[in-house]
Amino acid sequence: MIATGVLKAEWTKFSSIRATMVLSLAVVATSGFFGWTFANMAAHEYATASAQERLDFLPLDQVMRGMLLVQLLISALGVLVATSEYGSGTLGPSLAAVGRRSRLVIAKAGMTALVALPVSVAGIGLMFVTSQVTLAAQGAPYLMPGDPDALLALLLGPVVFTLLALFGLALGLLLRGTAAAVNVSSTFLLMPVLAPIFPDFLSRLLTAYWPNGAGFRAVTSRSDLPPVLSFGLLVGFVAVMHVAAFTRFTRRDA
C-alpha cells in the first residue's frame, strides 16, 4: 500500500509538470517525423542506386537512424523525473512524506519505466510504420511487421528506450541538475554516432561495446557480439548506474 501510494504521488508530480508531458508527446511525434524523413531520403537514394547497392539496401536502417536521435529525448525524460524536484524545491517535503529515501528512488524508477515503456512502444511503432510506408510508396524495399527483423525492433526497441530513460533518471539523481544531466547524457549517447571520426580501433570499440550502441545493434540483429551479450551490456550498465545513484541519494542531504 505504501509503495503504491508513493508511486501514485510520483505520477501526480510527473503529470503536473508541463515539460515532462510535452517531452513524452515529443518522443512520439519526432519518432514519426524521423521515420518519414530518413525513409524518404533512403527511397530517393535507392531510386538512383546501382544494382549492388540495391541488393545491400536495409529497410530497417531507417528506423535505426531515427532511434539514434529520439534516444536523446527519452533519456531527457528520465532526467526530468529526477531533477524536477530539485528545481522546484519539493524534494524536502517529498522525503518527509515518504519517510525513507530508498522508497522514493524505487518509486521514481518504477514510474519512469511505467511511463517510458508505453511512450517508447508508441514512438517506435509510429517510426516503423511511417518509415516502411514511405519506402513502399516510393518503390523501395520495405518490411512488414511480421518480418523477424521488424519484430525484433518493435519488441526490443521499446525496452532499449526504457532502459535509456532509466539511465537518464540515474544520471539526474547523481548530478541533481537538469542542464548538466541532459548535456552529459546527450554526449554519452551520441558517442556511437561519432565513432567514424575516431581511429579504427576506437571506432570499433565504440560501435561494439558502448552501452547504448550495443543495445541498438542488438535491436537490428547486426551486433558484432551475440545479441544477448550486446543487450546485456546495456542492462548491466544501467544497473550499475542505478546502484551508484541509489547509494549516493540515500546517503546525502537533500
Side-chain angles (χ1 to χ4, degrees), residues 64-98:
M64 175 65 174
R65 292 174 185 176
M67 290 176 69
L68 289 172
L69 295 175
V70 179
Q71 66 171 335
L72 304 181
L73 296 179
I74 199 72
S75 174
L77 184 65
V79 168
L80 281 177
V81 173
T83 60
S84 59
E85 290 202 82
Y86 288 109
S88 63
T90 60
L91 183 61
S94 292
L95 289 172
V98 172

Side-chain angles (χ1 to χ4, degrees), residues 15 24 42 50 72 75 100 105 127 129 163 215 224 229 232 251:
S15 59
S24 298
S50 65
L72 304 181
S75 174
R100 293 182 183 177
V105 175
M127 186 185 297
V129 170
L163 287 169
D224 297 332
L229 182 56
R251 293 181 178 177

Side-chain angles (χ1 to χ4, degrees), residues 9-230:
E10 285 302 310
W11 166 250
T12 300
K13 286 182 281 187
F14 178 90
S15 59
S16 65
I17 300 172
R18 181 181 300 176
T20 55
M21 300 304 291
V22 170
L23 197 53
S24 298
L25 294 174
V27 169
V28 179
T30 56
S31 293
F33 174 75
F34 285 134
W36 172 78
T37 300
F38 286 119
N40 189 58
M41 185 187 307
H44 280 89
E45 292 174 354
Y46 181 82
T48 59
S50 65
Q52 184 58 52
E53 288 172 336
R54 290 192 173 197
L55 288 174
D56 294 337
F57 185 81
L58 298 172
L60 196 61
D61 272 10
Q62 316 326 313
V63 177
M64 175 65 174
R65 292 174 185 176
M67 290 176 69
L68 289 172
L69 295 175
V70 179
Q71 66 171 335
L72 304 181
L73 296 179
I74 199 72
S75 174
L77 184 65
V79 168
L80 281 177
V81 173
T83 60
S84 59
E85 290 202 82
Y86 288 109
S88 63
T90 60
L91 183 61
S94 292
L95 289 172
V98 172
R100 293 182 183 177
R101 287 172 170 263
S102 58
R103 291 180 181 175
L104 186 61
V105 175
I106 293 170
K108 286 185 179 296
M111 201 279 300
T112 299
L114 289 173
V115 170
L117 184 58
V119 168
S120 300
V121 168
I124 291 177
L126 182 60
M127 186 185 297
F128 176 83
V129 170
T130 55
S131 64
Q132 302 311 302
V133 167
T134 301
L135 291 174
Q138 300 190 42
Y142 62 94
L143 297 177
M144 296 295 290
D147 183 277
D149 287 341
L151 278 175
L152 185 63
L154 291 170
L155 295 177
L156 189 58
V159 179
V160 171
F161 265 14
T162 301
L163 287 169
L164 294 179
L166 290 170
F167 159 70
L169 173 71
L171 197 58
L173 291 173
L174 287 168
L175 299 181
R176 299 201 287 183
T178 302
V182 168
N183 288 336
V184 171
S185 68
S186 297
T187 302
F188 181 90
L189 295 175
L190 287 175
M191 289 301 290
V193 180
L194 301 175
I197 71 174
F198 294 108
D200 287 344
F201 78 95
L202 185 56
S203 177
R204 289 194 295 269
L205 184 67
L206 289 172
T207 301
Y209 297 102
W210 202 255
N212 64 312
F216 283 130
R217 290 181 73 81
V219 168
T220 58
S221 69
R222 296 209 313 274
S223 176
D224 297 332
L225 303 171
V228 173
L229 182 56
S230 289

